Amino acid sequence: MAGFVLDERLAGSSSFIADWDLCRVCLKNDKTWPWLYLVPKRDKIREIFELAPDDQMQLMREISRAAQALQSLHKADKINIAAYGNMVPQLHVHVFARFKDDPAWPKPVWTAQGEIPYTDSERETEIEKFKNCFGKLEA
Amino acid sequence: MAGFVLDERLAGSSSFIADWDLCRVCLKNDKTWPWLYLVPKRDKIREIFELAPDDQMQLMREISRAAQALQSLHKADKINIAAYGNMVPQLHVHVFARFKDDPAWPKPVWTAQGEIPYTDSERETEIEKFKNCFGKLEA
């Protein structure tokens, strides 16, 4: 991760949770949906196929771990996963929880407008919960 | 793949291109975006983390191959990848090409409305192009 710098738009819309082997894991600052960013700590990569094969495999393991944590902590009805990068070129994967009573269900969340930021204490609590859960999943 | 049956909504909105080791690969019938469905030929799987670890790794290899084919054939500005499944429970991954002059750029395509089906001959041509390209990527 020498030289890795998180894109400022990703940094500005999220909080740090953990550095995994490949990815930085951040909590998106929108409590409408429990939402993680996974950002491979590799320079100048826009597409998943540009990652080295071993990194691609590790990305899948980390996506899976993030999804399991969301499922375990939030009892989601469905985990949604997306890698777009049309606006922010730094490769990043969205992994987030969906619920049958959420404001966009069953449509993609991108049709919903407006974010509801966590309060400081809510965010700290959420981050702690993820850290504890990640610890169990890595064991 | 014994017993694998493609969900009827996926089947009804796409055409068969190929069966890979893990996934059935289909062309979505909307020429607005070159768009592939990757559907793991496994029963009763909704989430990526429910796949066996080896299947998860194979899914990443096949996502990567599909993305490279789209990039190679269509000179996309960005490949978008999404696994939602809020409406169709059978695990499926969308892999599709985005262009700076497409009707939704840079927003997620889900904000755009309306599909433009291929004509029969356009679809056949597109499927042939993918088959040829897949052959080279598997070599």
Side-chain angles (χ1 to χ4, degrees), chain B residues 49-87:
Chain B
F49 60 77
E50 294 168 0
L51 289 169
D54 283 354
D55 282 349
Q56 293 181 33
M57 298 302 105
Q58 184 61 20
L59 179 58
M60 180 56 91
R61 283 188 281 269
E62 296 186 2
I63 287 170
S64 197
R65 185 191 298 160
Q68 285 179 79
L70 282 160
Q71 181 67 56
S72 166
L73 283 176
H74 289 283
K75 315 300 174 207
D77 292 307
K78 188 71 186 66
I79 303 301
N80 283 189
I81 299 168
Y84 292 153
N86 307 327
M87 289 183 264

Side-chain angles (χ1 to χ4, degrees), chain B residues 9-80:
Chain B
R9 286 157 291 187
L10 298 177
S13 60
S14 70
S15 300
F16 176 85
I17 305 180
D19 269 323
W20 286 348
D21 285 355
L22 177 64
C23 292
R24 178 154 299 172
V25 185
C26 299
L27 177 70
K28 188 184 179 192
N29 192 25
D30 177 8
K31 65 182 178 184
T32 314
W33 293 280
W35 189 309
L36 302 175
Y37 297 161
L38 268 60
V39 189
K41 292 171 284 182
R42 298 288 183 263
D43 281 344
K44 296 177 184 162
I45 299 284
R46 287 195 71 198
E47 301 285 359
I48 285 175
F49 60 77
E50 294 168 0
L51 289 169
D54 283 354
D55 282 349
Q56 293 181 33
M57 298 302 105
Q58 184 61 20
L59 179 58
M60 180 56 91
R61 283 188 281 269
E62 296 186 2
I63 287 170
S64 197
R65 185 191 298 160
Q68 285 179 79
L70 282 160
Q71 181 67 56
S72 166
L73 283 176
H74 289 283
K75 315 300 174 207
D77 292 307
K78 188 71 186 66
I79 303 301
N80 283 189

